[in-house]
Amino acid sequence: MTKQTFIKGAMILLAAGVVNRILGFVPRIALPRVIGAEGVGLYQLCYPFLGVLLTLITGGIPVAVAKWVAEAESQGGGARVRQIFRTAMGLTVALGLIMTSVMLLSAKWITTRVLTDPRVYEAFLVMAPMLLLIGVSSVYRGYFQGKQNMIPTAQSQVVETVLRIAAQLTLAALLLPMGLQWAAAGAMMGTVLGEVASLLVMLHHARKDRLEHPRERDGLDMPAEGAALPLEPLPAGRAPVLRKLLRLSVPITGSRLVGSLSYLLESILTARSLAAAGIATGAATAQYGALQGMIIPLLLLPTALTYSLSVSLVPSLSAAAARGDRAAIHKRLHQSLRLALVSGAPFVVIMGLLAEPLCRILYDHAEIAPLLTLLAPVGIFIYLQGPLQAALQALDKPGTALLNTTIGAAVKLYLIVELASRPDLGIYGAVIAISVNIVLVTLLHGISVLRISGFRMKLPDFVKVGAAMIIMGAACRWIMSHHPLSLEWLGLAAACTISALLYLALMAVMGIIDRHDLRRIPGIGRWF
């Protein structure tokens, strides 16, 4: 099994994340053109419930597996690695079967009584298999990440994205003549097929690992068809393993459950608040679909990097904490947050200043551009939030992350009810509430990491990045206003490319990035 360094592992996940984000915009752009904003809204309305149930199944288990495997590897505890994997898989499969049953039995009640649009019923039923598929994949993913081998995670993400895109667009178009609800269900079926492919990739790597390390066979010998092995009753010797697994995973699950429930309540309260503001059901569904299906994914594009940093950070910080290496902890935190800040800043500038041409070219819906303009400035807080939360989990403070997330969620839901129900604000009230939540949670996470580890970001880094953003923004606007190109998309591409190159040059001149940083990038690092 190949083990990577922290930066190399992060860059492998980054490469996969960038590919996924780029490919992921194919259905984001094409799906609204096939089924419209209202169809996208039906598709998106299903996800909050899926998120809640997935959190109950997998919320903290993959992180706990990654953390424990990393600690055991640093101390040479191979037996514990095998125990934690088998226990985690058994628990996940059992929870997955229970939650799938709950979801199927309550589908009619949820889609008619809780959600504001009963047309989501078909898509809701179709997405049920994802609970077990994603649950099993997540345990394998946590195991490989704990081994600091990010290749299986990266490959499974890319395969899942490619198959999902093809299946989503094909099935949505084929089922559209049957009605908008069936088109949304077809798009959801494409997502399910993508998760099947992702699990198959993980099983391939698990089999390959068993062949390369036969002594670990008992730890990864899960049949592809059944799950009989993980579902065997836990012997007495596994009880301490299960208790420790729950002790590690429950606070993380709680933190993510708060986020998932917040997302679920956000979708319900936003729809009801828009109705209270006098907006019809179809229009409210379309507005919510535009926000969650078009604007938010565009804003989250740079999280390809922050996700990769967060995944690599947990085992790296856990191993450093197990050794008591405070200097390594500070080094990893500085690397992660600096990369998140530097890479996310130019996206904030482009999305904030060029929101209208972006939305017109990508989605053919220029009217939603004000939503992106309003949300873009808080993007930088989103990009810093992932590594900060991962740091709290790796440093055995998931309860702190849970408290911070709960405070932010409560404030957000209160503001949605107060603001989105006002006729003069409508959907913009929900955007303001989401923005306040993002900023608040990130600041609370930053204060918590400072108090726990003593680490603090260097203020000059923020000043330099801020200055570069201002210069980049001025150049971007000037190019967009004065370019001689006849096609708007060519002008947009020129403005983004030239201003981004200017930003990178400023980062190099100011000493934020240097040749040594570029040398760490797999593939092209040797050029520097």
Side-chain angles (χ1 to χ4, degrees):
M1 179 183 296
T2 305
K3 179 177 178 179
Q4 300 95 31
T5 64
F6 166 69
I7 290 294
K8 186 174 182 180
M11 290 303 168
I12 289 172
L13 290 177
L14 171 61
V18 169
V19 171
N20 289 343
R21 289 294 195 275
I22 294 173
L23 292 176
F25 266 91
V26 174
R28 297 290 183 188
I29 295 169
L31 200 58
R33 298 172 186 266
V34 175
I35 62 177
E38 192 173 351
V40 173
L42 294 176
Y43 174 78
Q44 289 294 142
L45 279 173
C46 295
Y47 270 103
F49 276 93
L50 179 69
V52 171
L53 296 179
L54 276 177
T55 300
L56 290 171
I57 298 169
T58 69
I61 292 177
V63 176
V65 171
K67 175 179 169 57
W68 201 353
V69 168
E71 291 176 353
E73 286 283 300
S74 68
Q75 299 170 355
R80 285 196 301 162
V81 171
R82 295 189 292 274
Q83 280 187 309
I84 188 63
F85 177 85
R86 290 171 63 101
T87 305
M89 184 61 76
L91 179 61
T92 299
V93 170
L95 289 173
L97 293 174
I98 292 171
M99 293 302 169
T100 301
S101 301
V102 170
M103 183 175 175
L104 292 173
L105 292 173
S106 60
K108 197 69 177 180
W109 181 83
I110 291 172
T111 55
T112 55
R113 300 294 183 86
V114 180
L115 297 179
T116 57
D117 199 324
R119 292 176 296 171
V120 303
Y121 178 71
E122 288 79 6
F124 196 88
L125 288 179
V126 167
M127 75 179 183
M130 283 199 287
L131 293 175
L132 192 57
L133 292 170
I134 295 175
V136 174
S137 293
S138 70
V139 178
Y140 279 107
R141 192 171 291 120
Y143 171 83
F144 287 118
Q145 289 169 0
K147 292 277 190 177
Q148 299 188 45
N149 178 15
M150 306 303 169
I151 292 175
T153 298
Q155 288 183 353
S156 66
Q157 288 173 347
V158 172
V159 170
E160 183 272 332
T161 300
V162 171
L163 183 59
R164 171 170 52 84
I165 291 170
Q168 270 187 336
L169 297 177
T170 301
L171 293 173
L174 288 175
L175 295 178
L176 182 58
M178 298 174 61
L180 204 57
Q181 68 271 28
W182 282 105
M188 187 63 71
M189 176 58 71
T191 306
V192 173
L193 294 176
E195 294 299 337
V196 171
S198 176
L199 178 57
L200 291 175
V201 172
M202 281 293 175
L203 292 173
H204 166 73
H205 280 281
R207 181 168 299 170
K208 181 179 176 182
D209 183 70
R210 288 197 301 272
L211 294 175
E212 292 177 355
H213 303 86
R215 283 184 295 181
E216 293 187 2
R217 181 178 178 84
D218 290 339
L220 284 174
D221 194 16
M222 177 184 174
E225 301 178 356
L229 182 58
L231 285 174
E232 287 176 353
L234 293 174
R238 287 193 193 177
V241 178
L242 182 60
R243 282 197 299 269
K244 183 171 182 179
L245 176 65
L246 293 174
R247 182 175 62 82
L248 289 170
S249 63
V250 166
I252 300 173
T253 300
S255 180
R256 294 186 176 178
L257 185 60
V258 168
S260 298
L261 286 172
S262 168
Y263 182 35
L264 171 60
L265 293 174
E266 174 191 321
S267 66
I268 296 171
L269 293 177
T270 298
R272 294 184 181 278
S273 297
L274 292 176
I279 300 173
T281 299
T285 300
Q287 288 185 0
Y288 183 77
L291 177 61
Q292 293 292 342
M294 302 182 202
I295 299 300
I296 296 295
L298 192 58
L299 188 68
L300 295 180
L301 183 62
T303 57
L305 174 62
T306 57
Y307 168 77
S308 66
L309 291 172
S310 301
V311 170
S312 298
L313 196 59
V314 171
S316 181
L317 284 186
S318 298
R323 299 191 306 267
D325 191 346
R326 193 177 185 86
I329 292 174
H330 284 198
K331 178 182 177 182
R332 295 293 181 238
L333 284 171
H334 182 259
Q335 287 176 326
S336 301
L337 294 173
R338 185 184 63 166
L339 282 171
L341 176 66
V342 170
S343 63
F347 287 90
V348 171
V349 173
I350 290 171
M351 288 185 289
L353 296 180
L354 305 179
E356 185 174 340
L358 277 172
C359 292
R360 181 165 47 247
I361 293 170
L362 291 178
Y363 302 125
D364 195 25
H365 284 282
E367 70 277 4
I368 67 175
L371 300 176
L372 181 59
T373 302
L374 189 58
L375 270 173
V378 304
I380 202 70
F381 292 91
I382 296 177
Y383 313 145
L384 293 172
Q385 189 177 120
L388 287 171
Q389 180 153 331
L392 290 174
Q393 294 168 353
L395 296 174
D396 282 329
K397 296 295 180 180
T400 303
L402 170 60
L403 177 61
N404 297 341
T405 305
T406 303
I407 293 172
V411 171
K412 178 182 69 173
L413 296 175
Y414 171 77
L415 290 176
I416 285 177
V417 174
E418 286 293 315
L419 300 179
S421 58
R422 298 183 184 180
D424 57 326
L425 288 177
I427 193 66
Y428 294 99
V431 172
I432 294 170
I434 293 170
S435 301
V436 170
N437 165 258
I438 292 167
V439 174
L440 179 59
V441 173
T442 302
L443 292 177
L444 291 174
H445 282 353
I447 293 170
S448 300
V449 170
L450 169 64
R451 187 180 69 249
I452 293 165
S453 68
F455 169 80
R456 61 184 72 224
M457 281 287 288
K458 299 176 182 178
L459 181 60
D461 288 352
F462 287 98
V463 174
K464 292 176 182 178
V465 172
M469 290 173 69
I470 294 172
I471 297 171
M472 175 190 173
C476 190
R477 287 297 293 267
W478 188 90
I479 296 169
M480 196 63 191
S481 301
H482 295 84
H483 70 82
L485 302 170
S486 57
L487 296 177
E488 186 179 33
W489 71 269
L490 287 175
L492 178 64
C496 294
T497 302
I498 296 172
S499 61
L501 291 174
L502 174 61
Y503 172 82
L504 289 175
L506 291 169
M507 290 289 95
V509 170
M510 294 177 181
I512 298 293
I513 59 175
D514 56 29
R515 181 168 53 87
H516 300 290
D517 294 318
L518 299 174
R519 287 177 60 185
R520 295 191 180 103
I521 301 176
I524 67 171
R526 61 182 181 277
W527 299 347
F528 302 93

